Amino acid sequence: MASSLSDAPQKAFFPSLGRWDRLLPLMAAEQGRWILFAPVLLGAGIALWFLLPTVADRQFALALAAALAIAGLAMHGLAARLLAGAGLLLALGLVVAEVRSLSVAAPVLHHRLGAAAMTGEVLAVQARAGGERWRLLLRRDASDIDPAVTLQIGLSERPPGDVLPGARVRVVAILQPRAGPVLPGGHDMARAAWFDGISGFGRAIGPPAVLVPAPPERLWLARQRVMLTGFVQQRIGGDAGRMAAALVTGDQGQVPPERLEAMRTAGLAHLLSVSGFHISVVAGGALLLFRSLLALWPWFALRFSVRTAAALLAGLAGTAYALLAGAEVPAVRAAITAWIVLLALAAGRNPLSLRLIAFAAFAILLLRPEALLTPGFQLSFAAVTSLVLLSQSAVGERFLRADPEAGMLARAGRYGLALLASGLVAEIVLAPIAMAHFGRTGVYGVFANLLAIPL
């Protein structure tokens, strides 16, 4: 196999490859792990699409990726598989990013518009800055000259109680386009708005007036989320109620800014956004519950697989919770990952494997290629990958795995050591990503999470 790159025809096209012959046996021995680089190459193609400024540049990059794949097909052996696979995955990344961008394409506001009255359907009502500011996601009605578009309109005060998702309202607002990144390479709000389907942003002059109340059958889940958030806040009350509502539904708009700042400083802000932690708690709890209940049903347990049925029901529970929490990108990503883990459990496979993590990343990038640039995607997969590598390392195998024959004190010590080691590893891996996106990282995140996660 190593000699396949030494053939004269291949050296004629790739003369410099001959010096790498000694690496080929090592690469061949790792063929079982090549699949782990599939999402990396797919992500490289997606990143290339975002980096290149014009359509012509992207078409040229696609042609180069196709040429790389064709060059691999013209060869044989190890080099053929490497070049063809890399070229095809790079080309796929460029294509899925282009297709995704075209699928969400909507008219974009390019200049400021003065105060004008508009009518439309409320898609969402969101609180901001501890309830001091509010905003509407409004689907504005089409006119004779403009199509129907989605607008994000800020409010200076709390909207009336009947302004709910599904209601038709009239509002007077000043509209403007979303600005680009403040610093080169920073967060691009205009790009995020494009993939969210938001055409423009504005500021309302006065409260919105309801023209038609929200019908019961329209946007049912969105209204349930609003009502659940209000119910939790009213029952608990005060700042504790606002924090509890954020933990349950992910609605951080009512949390006071100073408390959000404290959570970020402690490295616990991820607990207030419905993502992997929340979905795993719901899906994991549902798995244990359904497995116990179905095992108590003799007729079912003797005829069907309790493990498979419990995994499917747990996946449905996690998906339902993600939808109830607003189906934000982190929640959807976590739900997809949870399904992959649960299906692996149902099939008797180890869910804590790098192959499953690679498959989850690949599936998410195919569906939402823009997620590659978000801190949520980068932080979540970096954390999970580091923890799986820790558990599969020699240190993890020797010191962190539970020993069923050990005493209670020894098991408790191993559990605490596992929490501390995993928190420390995750913090080391996530700190550079957090610094790159936010210019900061948690001061004592390891110890804060060590206490907060079990609680």
Side-chain angles (χ1 to χ4, degrees):
M1 185 176 297
S3 63
S4 62
L5 284 180
S6 302
D7 297 336
Q10 295 183 19
K11 279 193 172 183
F13 290 100
F14 302 98
S16 62
L17 292 181
R19 70 187 64 177
W20 303 105
D21 281 353
R22 60 181 180 274
L23 295 178
L24 295 181
L26 298 177
M27 298 174 66
E30 295 294 330
Q31 289 187 63
R33 295 180 178 269
W34 286 4
I35 192 65
L36 302 180
F37 290 91
V40 176
L41 291 169
L42 178 68
I46 295 171
L48 196 58
W49 187 91
F50 282 103
L51 287 173
L52 296 176
T54 66
V55 174
D57 293 333
R58 295 163 183 167
Q59 292 174 345
F60 181 71
L62 181 60
L64 287 180
L68 183 65
I70 294 172
L73 295 176
M75 304 171 68
H76 58 82
L78 184 63
R81 294 194 294 273
L82 286 173
L83 293 180
L88 290 175
L89 287 170
L90 287 172
L92 180 61
L94 289 162
V95 170
V96 296
E98 180 71 22
V99 171
R100 172 66 177 165
S101 178
L102 293 176
S103 67
V104 300
V108 176
L109 183 66
H110 293 286
H111 54 86
R112 189 175 184 272
L113 296 178
M118 61 192 71
T119 60
E121 180 182 3
V122 177
L123 301 180
V125 183
Q126 302 167 334
R128 311 296 294 173
E132 297 179 2
R133 297 195 302 269
W134 293 74
R135 68 185 183 193
L136 296 180
L137 200 61
L138 182 73
R139 183 65 176 175
R140 193 190 68 179
D141 295 335
S143 65
D144 295 336
I145 58 175
D146 293 321
V149 293
T150 300
L151 303 172
Q152 183 177 292
I153 300 177
L155 306 175
S156 57
E157 58 185 17
R158 186 186 184 100
D162 53 352
V163 177
L164 296 172
R168 290 188 54 78
V169 300
R170 180 183 182 274
V171 62
V172 178
I174 300 173
L175 300 180
Q176 61 186 15
R178 174 63 85 185
V182 178
L183 296 174
H187 176 61
D188 192 339
M189 294 181 288
R191 182 183 61 210
W194 172 268
F195 284 100
D196 289 337
I198 300 176
S199 299
F201 299 79
R203 170 65 58 181
I205 301 176
V210 175
L211 303 177
V212 180
E217 69 278 3
R218 294 294 303 276
L219 300 174
W220 182 81
L221 275 175
R223 289 202 308 278
Q224 295 304 313
R225 185 192 187 205
V226 172
M227 290 189 290
L228 178 60
T229 301
F231 174 79
V232 173
Q233 292 177 1
Q234 292 174 4
R235 292 293 299 231
I236 299 178
D239 289 348
R242 298 185 181 96
M243 292 287 288
L247 289 170
V248 174
T249 65
D251 187 354
Q252 305 179 31
Q254 298 276 13
V255 180
E258 61 273 11
R259 294 197 178 274
L260 283 177
E261 183 67 18
M263 295 290 284
R264 294 189 187 102
T265 303
L268 298 176
H270 64 94
L271 296 180
L272 299 180
S273 175
V274 175
S275 55
F277 174 77
H278 298 73
I279 301 298
S280 63
V281 168
V282 172
L287 178 67
L288 295 176
L289 176 63
F290 288 127
R291 191 169 184 175
S292 301
L293 293 177
L294 293 176
L296 296 175
W297 186 6
W299 181 89
F300 186 91
L302 293 174
R303 290 170 174 80
F304 305 99
S305 171
V306 171
R307 180 177 59 188
T308 301
L312 294 176
L313 292 173
L316 292 175
T319 303
Y321 179 63
L323 293 174
L324 181 62
E328 301 289 341
V329 173
V332 173
R333 181 179 63 245
I336 294 174
T337 308
W339 269 110
I340 294 173
V341 171
L342 291 169
L343 291 176
L345 288 174
R349 302 290 297 273
N350 178 19
L352 297 179
S353 70
L354 293 177
R355 284 175 172 267
L356 284 176
I357 295 174
F359 180 77
F362 196 90
I364 291 169
L365 290 177
L366 279 180
L367 297 174
R368 296 282 186 91
E370 72 275 13
L372 176 71
L373 305 182
T374 61
F377 178 89
Q378 298 172 14
L379 291 170
S380 59
F381 276 99
V384 174
T385 303
S386 65
L387 294 179
V388 171
L389 288 174
L390 174 64
S391 67
Q392 295 179 356
S393 65
V395 175
E397 291 284 349
R398 181 174 181 180
F399 297 105
L400 305 181
R401 291 293 176 90
D403 185 2
E405 299 182 358
M408 183 180 299
L409 186 60
R411 290 200 300 270
R414 283 181 179 268
Y415 177 73
L417 181 62
L419 283 177
L420 182 61
S422 37
L424 183 61
V425 168
E427 194 72 21
I428 292 173
V429 171
L430 300 184
I433 302 175
M435 288 294 293
H437 283 284
F438 311 115
R440 60 187 300 174
T441 186
V443 177
Y444 46 91
V446 174
F447 303 103
N449 281 278
L450 187 64
L451 296 175
I453 296 299
L455 180 62

